Amino acid sequence: MRRMFRRQIRKTLAQEVPPILQEANFAFSKGEYGRAAELFEQIARVAEGRGGPRAPLFHLQAGRSRVLAGTAALGIPSLKHGLELLAQRRQFQRLHQFGTRTINELNELGLMKEAAEIAAWLKSVLPQIPFADAPAKRPVLPTHCPSCGAPLRSDEVEWLDGVTGECGYCGSPVREDN
Ligand SMILES: [Zn+2]
């Protein structure tokens, strides 16, 4: 009975998620990075146009998709722009998190010059305060958002309470699958 109820909630939430976002996440999870990049670029542009809180994440995912598609030159501007938006909005903890992750990913892909450039910029804009690197122990979330299909990282979601995270892509509440 409870399971059924939960499934119904998910179904309701899923209908509120824009199909283009689900399509973008689906393409990304299948490794169709070029397609995912095109969709995320569109989503990011619209979100930024209306000052949406998720615009930075969409730009970052667009950039990440371009880089993974092997077209780093097209992706770096999106990565920088996503991070710049976080800096403009003074979301420094997120900037620290996403910036560090972006730099690590670029290094892993052998894009050392691009990574170093972003690292230098990051250092110049971040205030000199200590940031929490190791996230507090959190429940394990499903690997993907049940509503929009985005990959979930427990160190990246906004926590609504001790057990409920908020998907950064669609805003749906997500809880540990058990
Ligand atoms: Zn979601």
Side-chain angles (χ1 to χ4, degrees):
M1 196 61 196
R2 213 174 131 207
R3 278 193 93 81
M4 236 171 92
F5 183 56
R6 205 152 60 179
R7 214 170 297 148
Q8 271 176 347
I9 292 182
R10 282 186 186 167
K11 214 174 147 200
T12 313
L13 286 171
Q15 286 165 352
E16 293 164 8
V17 174
I20 187 175
L21 176 58
Q22 290 173 321
E23 201 184 333
N25 287 324
F26 188 55
F28 187 88
S29 69
K30 279 195 301 183
E32 293 173 2
Y33 298 121
R35 175 76 184 136
E38 281 171 22
L39 295 169
F40 277 119
E41 282 162 5
Q42 272 185 54
I43 296 168
R45 218 173 301 131
V46 172
E48 187 178 345
R50 54 160 192 258
R54 300 184 195 108
L57 191 55
F58 295 139
H59 280 295
L60 288 172
Q61 197 65 344
R64 184 180 290 145
S65 302
R66 288 288 179 205
V67 170
L68 289 170
T71 50
L74 294 174
I76 300 297
S78 289
L79 292 174
K80 287 183 181 166
H81 189 61
L83 296 173
E84 276 161 8
L85 279 184
L86 289 174
Q88 280 170 25
R89 296 175 179 187
R90 307 185 63 79
Q91 296 181 6
F92 294 123
Q93 179 62 44
R94 305 215 96 195
L95 177 60
H96 170 74
Q97 261 172 20
F98 289 131
T100 306
R101 180 175 168 194
T102 300
I103 292 162
N104 291 343
E105 285 179 351
L106 291 175
N107 275 324
E108 279 165 23
L109 291 163
L111 298 162
M112 313 296 183
K113 195 178 124 257
E114 291 82 355
E117 206 183 300
I118 291 178
W121 172 81
L122 193 64
K123 208 176 160 207
S124 74
V125 292
L126 276 179
Q128 300 300 309
I129 53 168
F131 289 100
D133 270 317
K137 206 161 167 46
R138 295 287 194 183
V140 180
L141 294 174
T143 56
H144 290 84
C145 170
S147 297
C148 77
L152 293 174
R153 293 169 54 105
S154 56
D155 58 340
E156 282 181 4
V157 302
E158 294 279 354
W159 288 89
L160 304 173
D161 59 39
V163 290
T164 314
E166 183 187 81
C167 171
Y169 291 80
C170 74
S172 297
V174 186
R175 284 186 160 213
E176 186 172 12
D177 245 350
N178 51 15

